[in-house]
Structure formats: C-alpha cells, structure tokens
C-alpha cells in the first residue's frame, strides 16, 4: 500500500521511536501481528513507555522525584492526557508490557536503548528479558548516567556524550537492515534470471 500512497515500495521496514514514540511503535507492531499485516523487519526503541498505568510501581519510578525531564507531576499529567479511555493495567496497546508470550514470539530483531536515570527503565528491562527468554533476537544497551529523552540532547550546547548513543543507534539500524536482507535477499529486477549457457549469457524472460 505504500506505493500508491507514498510513491515508494520499501523492501525493508525498520520501525523506531523514543519515549511515547516507542510506545506507539510497539502498538503498530502489535496491530500488525493481530491483523496478519506485514510486520516490520526490525525494531529500534529508546526508553519506551512500556506501562501507562498510574497504579504500577517499580523502583526506577523513584527517579521521578527529581528527574530533569520526567518529574512525577509531569509524568502523571502526561499519562492522564495520553490515556483517555481503555485500561492501561491490562491493554497491551496502551501498555506493551502486557503483551502475551504468543504475541512476543512474532517480534522481529529488536534493539532497545535504556537510560539509567529514567523512571521508565525497569519495565523496559522486563520487556527485554521476556524477549530473551523466548529466544528472540533482542539487545539492550543502558546509558547509566543518562536521563530520559537523551536522544534529544545531541544538539548544539546539549550533552555531547549523547552523540555516542545516536551513533550507536545508526549502527543498530544498519545491523537490522543487514539482517533483513539476509533473511529476504532482494529479487533480481526486470525478471532477469541466470540460465545455463555455454556462452554464459544473461537471458531476459
């Protein structure tokens, strides 16, 4: 459907998002699983919002008491604004941490960046561990001194160390693309195939 709507026909699809964008990317992934639509060939997520329930608690949420980005009051406001209906304590479209093992078994190679000072960190760890226990191709990388949102700090007068996380993400995207091409090598264009020939000529059919 991308060809008539966007004018492109992608061979490889890598879905990426950070924070709430990571939550949305996982929702798209789950929707593709439920509808048997084409699934992304890889996922790259950064500090994704895995659990939107205000009733859930993990130790990393204590960072919200003095976090420079996600203070408790701001985090609560974001969750209340984001979730207008549904049950975030059970609905995996709202809180991907509640995906079932059967759903996770459909996941493509997945790469996830974590921030060590992030209130959302612990649920992401759980998600990575679940994928690993299911034998999925998953990797996680934690930047222990970084706060939530560190992708956005790779800017002039930002945090120069954050550039390393962006460069690492680019390497991971290249890795995911390469893995996809290994699984699904590109077809020859114009229906060209190699036919046995004494002259070893390429014939077009």
């Amino acid at each position: 459907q991308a060809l008539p709507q966007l004018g492109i026909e992608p061979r490889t699809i890598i879905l990426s998002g950070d924070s709430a964008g990571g939550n949305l990317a996982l929702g798209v992934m789950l929707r593709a699983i439920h509808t048997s639509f084409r699934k992304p060939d890889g996922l790259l997520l950064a500090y994704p919002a895995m659990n939107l329930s205000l009733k859930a608690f993990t130790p990393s949420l204590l960072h919200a008491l003095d976090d420079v980005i996600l203070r408790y009051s701001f985090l609560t406001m974001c969750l209340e604004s984001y979730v207008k209906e549904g049950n975030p304590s059970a609905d995996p479209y709202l809180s991907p941490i509640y995906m079932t093992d059967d759903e996770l078994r459909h996941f493509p190679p997945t790469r996830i960046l974590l921030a060590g000072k992030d209130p959302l960190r612990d649920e992401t760890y759980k998600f990575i561990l679940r994928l690993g226990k299911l034998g999925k191709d998953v990797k996680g990388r934690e930047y222990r001194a970084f706060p939530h949102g560190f992708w956005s700090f790779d800017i002039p007068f930002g945090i120069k160390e954050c550039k390393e996380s962006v460069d690492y993400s680019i390497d991971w995207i290249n890795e995911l693309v390469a893995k996809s091409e290994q699984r699904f090598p590109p077809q020859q264009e114009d229906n060209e195939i190699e036919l046995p020939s004494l002259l070893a000529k390429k014939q077009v059919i």
Side-chain angles (χ1 to χ4, degrees):
Q1 295 184 5
L3 185 59
Q5 296 181 17
L6 303 176
I8 59 174
E9 192 169 9
R11 186 171 67 244
T12 300
I13 299 175
I14 307 299
L15 199 58
S16 180
D18 71 321
S19 192
N23 178 281
L24 292 173
L26 289 166
V28 171
M29 181 69 214
L30 185 61
R31 185 65 174 171
I33 293 171
H34 288 171
T35 60
S36 298
F37 201 72
R38 176 183 171 177
K39 297 185 290 292
D41 301 296
L43 289 173
L44 172 62
L45 310 172
Y47 38 86
M50 302 298 303
N51 193 340
L52 303 189
S53 173
L54 290 172
K55 299 178 181 179
F57 174 79
T58 62
S60 65
L61 282 172
L62 294 174
H63 285 298
L65 296 176
D66 60 357
D67 188 85
V68 296
I69 300 297
L70 286 183
R71 288 188 179 274
Y72 178 76
S73 57
F74 180 71
L75 179 60
T76 302
M77 181 191 70
C78 289
L79 294 179
E80 291 176 344
S81 300
Y82 193 81
V83 181
K84 293 297 184 180
E85 57 184 34
N87 180 8
S89 296
D91 187 346
Y93 281 104
L94 294 173
S95 298
I97 195 66
Y98 295 113
M99 289 187 190
T100 66
D101 286 353
D102 286 340
E103 291 164 340
L104 295 180
R105 288 189 178 96
H106 291 277
F107 266 55
T110 302
R111 305 291 180 263
I112 304 179
L113 299 172
L114 303 93
K117 304 299 184 182
D118 183 8
L120 309 182
R121 182 197 61 202
D122 290 351
E123 297 284 22
T124 304
Y125 264 122
K126 292 179 184 179
F127 196 76
I128 293 172
L129 289 173
R130 287 185 63 199
L131 287 171
K133 288 179 179 179
L134 292 172
K136 303 304 297 181
D137 181 354
V138 60
K139 294 180 182 179
R141 182 177 178 86
E142 180 185 11
Y143 292 89
R144 294 183 178 179
F146 284 7
H148 184 88
F150 58 76
W151 260 0
S152 301
F153 299 157
D154 180 26
I155 57 175
F157 308 105
I159 302 176
K160 64 180 181 180
E161 288 80 7
C162 290
K163 184 179 187 304
E164 196 275 343
S165 71
V166 174
D167 292 340
Y168 206 88
S169 299
I170 294 171
D171 290 340
W172 263 354
I173 289 175
N174 290 329
E175 177 189 354
L176 292 171
V177 170
K179 283 179 173 290
S180 173
E181 292 180 347
Q182 289 172 3
R183 296 196 310 273
F184 308 106
Q187 297 180 349
Q188 293 175 303
E189 297 181 358
D190 300 324
N191 294 323
E192 291 186 355
I193 61 172
E194 296 289 349
L195 297 177
S197 171
L198 293 177
L199 299 178
K201 290 183 178 179
K202 181 178 290 186
Q203 301 186 33
V204 180
I205 63 172

